[in-house]
């Protein structure tokens, strides 16, 4: 698409293309058969990731969804419940995999910002009674994708962990964008990862690597996760060519995420002044989610009420790609693979729409 017209692609940070340094590292990567544990580059990536997040071990997986689903499978047994929020990625965008692959039922919590508090979690954990399903896991998401990149405070995470652990229930973090959360909170990523029984994070989003995520946990947990990854069809062979850009992502890309956050804030700061655009909260990371109201369409009201769809289509005619999350909500995501004047051009395009 980019080769036909030069769009500014704000649909997601997954659209980022690998940097020239990543491509060189891919070409030069030392490789081996990773199903035998013999790929030195994959091993180095796993050790680096575990060390950065403060875990004993880590496992390279092809996608964030697989990382989450492997974690769910390892922590639970079929017939158990997973406590998660109504807007979580594991519920919305993972193809009902917890039910299809692991026989799990989500126990869904409604929250204002995607983050349940300790009391909600305590209430959602089933008492140990013979006629109730067991609660196998609590899962949090930080930063929160559908929550407009919202960030959960570390203290609130600790309270939820304490509530779950006091009832013997482990806690997983979908930390696809954990480095964005850490940058927004101004803390080391270890602080955000602390206290969880497992954390999944992605290399292929704002960090710019072409493929891959890591699941972090204890040595025993990762040993079992390796088996489940293979069962799910995720055992890879000379995966060092994919791990090599991941190492560059961890070395070079985490420190610059605040630039993406700054751009998101500047775009939101201009859009919020326009009539018919509303933000539930202003962005703290690289994701902006806003609602588009009927005021926007004086002359040509969309008959199906799909304001967001129409808005996004008009924006595309003006060179900007964004995503309609539903009939009212639009999402834009900033990332490193954008032109210098992305803020100005986005604001100008929205004004033209
Ligand atoms: C919060 C969150 N978790 C998990 C994922 C899944 O990652 P993948 O697309 O690599 O499966 C995403 C992807 O956008 C995400 O935003």
């Amino acid at each position: 698409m980019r080769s036909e017209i030069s769009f500014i692609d704000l649909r997601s940070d997954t659209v980022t293309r690998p940097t020239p340094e990543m491509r060189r590292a891919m070409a030069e990567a030392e490789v081996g058969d990773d199903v035998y544990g013999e790929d030195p580059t994959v091993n180095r990536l796993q050790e680096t990731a575990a060390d950065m997040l403060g875990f004993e071990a880590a496992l390279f997986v092809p996608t964030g969804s697989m990382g989450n689903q492997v974690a769910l499978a390892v922590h639970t047994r079929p017939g158990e419940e997973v406590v998660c929020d109504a807007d979580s990625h594991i519920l919305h965008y993972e193809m009902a995999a917890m039910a299809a692959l692991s026989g799990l039922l989500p126990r869904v919590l409604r929250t204002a910002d995607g983050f349940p508090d300790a009391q909600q979690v305590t209430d959602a954990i089933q008492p140990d009674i013979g006629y109730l399903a067991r609660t196998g896991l609590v899962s949090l998401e930080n930063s929160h994708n559908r929550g407009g990149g919202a960030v959960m405070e570390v203290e609130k995470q600790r309270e939820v962990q304490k509530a779950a652990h006091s009832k013997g229930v482990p806690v997983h973090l979908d930390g696809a964008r954990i480095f964005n959360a850490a940058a927004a909170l101004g803390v080391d990523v270890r602080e955000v990862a602390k206290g969880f029984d497992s954390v999944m994070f992605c290399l292929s989003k704002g960090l710019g690597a072409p493929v891959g995520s890591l699941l972090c946990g204890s040595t025993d947990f990762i040993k079992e996760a390796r088996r489940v990854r293979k069962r799910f069809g995720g055992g890879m062979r000379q995966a060092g060519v994919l791990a090599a850009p991941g190492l560059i992502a961890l070395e070079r890309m985490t420190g610059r995420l605040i630039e993406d956050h700054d751009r998101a804030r500047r775009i939101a700061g201009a859009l919020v002044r326009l009539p018919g655009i509303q933000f539930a909260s202003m962005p703290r990371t690289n994701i902006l989610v806003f609602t588009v109201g009927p005021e926007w369409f004086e002359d040509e009201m969309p008959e199906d009420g799909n304001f967001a769809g129409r808005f996004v289509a008009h924006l595309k005619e003006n060179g900007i790609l964004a995503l309609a999350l539903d009939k009212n909500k639009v999402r834009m995501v900033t990332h490193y693979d954008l032109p210098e004047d992305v803020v100005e051009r986005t604001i100008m395009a929205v004004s033209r729409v």
Side-chain angles (χ1 to χ4, degrees):
M1 189 180 289
R2 263 180 268 235
S3 55
E4 292 160 24
I5 319 172
S6 78
F7 284 106
I8 291 184
D9 198 341
L10 298 173
R11 287 171 302 166
S12 176
D13 46 11
T14 57
V15 302
T16 46
R17 297 161 298 181
T19 63
E21 191 184 6
M22 288 179 183
R23 288 182 183 271
R24 273 196 302 280
M26 292 174 83
E28 290 162 10
E30 244 190 291
V31 296
D33 190 331
D34 181 51
V35 171
Y36 297 140
E38 290 172 3
D39 188 303
T41 313
V42 170
N43 290 341
R44 196 149 58 86
L45 174 65
Q46 292 176 163
E47 283 157 23
T48 305
D51 186 50
M52 282 176 93
L53 269 75
F55 281 92
E56 284 175 3
L59 182 70
F60 188 41
V61 286
T63 65
S65 301
M66 186 181 280
N68 280 335
Q69 292 304 323
V70 167
L72 263 56
V74 176
H75 282 302
T76 61
R77 283 189 286 164
E80 292 186 341
E81 293 187 352
V82 175
V83 176
C84 59
D85 88 275
D87 259 333
S88 58
H89 195 280
I90 58 165
L91 188 64
H92 253 274
Y93 295 127
E94 298 188 12
M95 314 296 297
M98 74 166 83
L101 302 179
S102 300
L104 299 168
L105 194 68
R107 170 71 49 184
V108 178
L109 301 180
R110 302 223 164 261
T111 62
D113 50 7
F115 308 129
D117 61 31
Q119 191 57 53
Q120 278 180 296
V121 169
T122 301
D123 294 346
I125 294 175
Q126 299 278 31
D128 187 8
I129 299 177
Y131 52 81
L132 293 174
R134 269 204 199 96
T135 303
L137 184 70
V138 172
S139 183
L140 300 180
E141 183 176 318
N142 198 12
S143 66
H144 202 289
N145 181 343
R146 287 178 62 87
V151 179
M152 189 172 191
E153 300 299 327
V154 167
E155 296 72 36
K156 193 169 175 184
Q157 288 190 163
R158 301 260 196 284
E159 286 163 18
V160 168
Q161 290 161 354
K162 208 168 140 200
H165 288 157
S166 72
K167 299 205 169 201
V169 178
V171 189
H172 170 71
L173 177 67
D174 175 350
R177 297 181 181 80
I178 193 172
F179 285 96
N180 293 88
L185 291 166
V187 299
D188 189 277
V189 71
R190 273 179 177 233
E191 280 302 303
V192 187
K194 206 164 159 179
F196 288 102
D197 299 276
S198 55
V199 174
M200 183 286 292
F201 75 90
C202 295
L203 301 165
S204 58
K205 302 201 161 59
L207 301 183
V211 178
S213 300
L214 284 128
L215 179 60
C216 304
S218 68
T219 307
D220 285 348
F221 175 87
I222 293 300
K223 192 172 168 202
E224 190 55 26
R226 236 187 135 75
R227 298 177 71 87
V228 175
R229 180 187 67 173
K230 189 75 174 75
R231 184 181 302 141
F232 286 178
M236 297 180 284
R237 301 294 177 175
Q238 285 70 34
V241 291
L242 303 177
L247 279 161
I248 309 270
L250 290 179
E251 281 160 20
R252 301 253 194 282
M253 304 297 274
T254 59
R256 56 154 307 286
L257 293 173
I258 43 171
E259 294 170 31
D260 300 339
H261 300 181
D262 179 57
R263 282 172 160 176
R265 251 194 313 272
R266 281 159 55 210
I267 294 171
L271 299 197
V272 76
R273 290 196 216 109
L274 300 173
I277 287 189
Q278 279 189 329
F279 284 82
S281 59
M282 295 306 271
R284 285 182 72 187
T285 59
N286 64 332
I287 303 179
L288 307 78
V289 174
F290 52 90
T291 54
V292 184
E295 304 92 317
W296 206 260
F297 303 96
E298 277 170 6
D299 305 329
E300 39 155 1
M301 191 69 73
E303 278 173 21
D304 56 1
N306 188 0
F307 301 122
R310 180 68 68 87
F311 181 89
V312 164
H314 282 320
L315 211 50
K316 187 173 176 184
E317 287 161 15
N318 286 281
I320 307 284
L321 301 180
L323 202 70
L325 290 184
D326 57 29
K327 285 186 172 184
N328 295 98
K329 277 190 196 150
V330 175
R331 187 184 80 172
M332 291 179 177
V333 187
T334 56
H335 50 81
Y336 84 90
D337 202 0
L338 291 167
E340 277 299 311
D341 57 353
V342 55
V343 174
E344 294 72 20
R345 281 167 67 185
T346 305
I347 295 167
M348 202 145 47
V350 174
S351 309
R352 271 204 298 269
V353 168

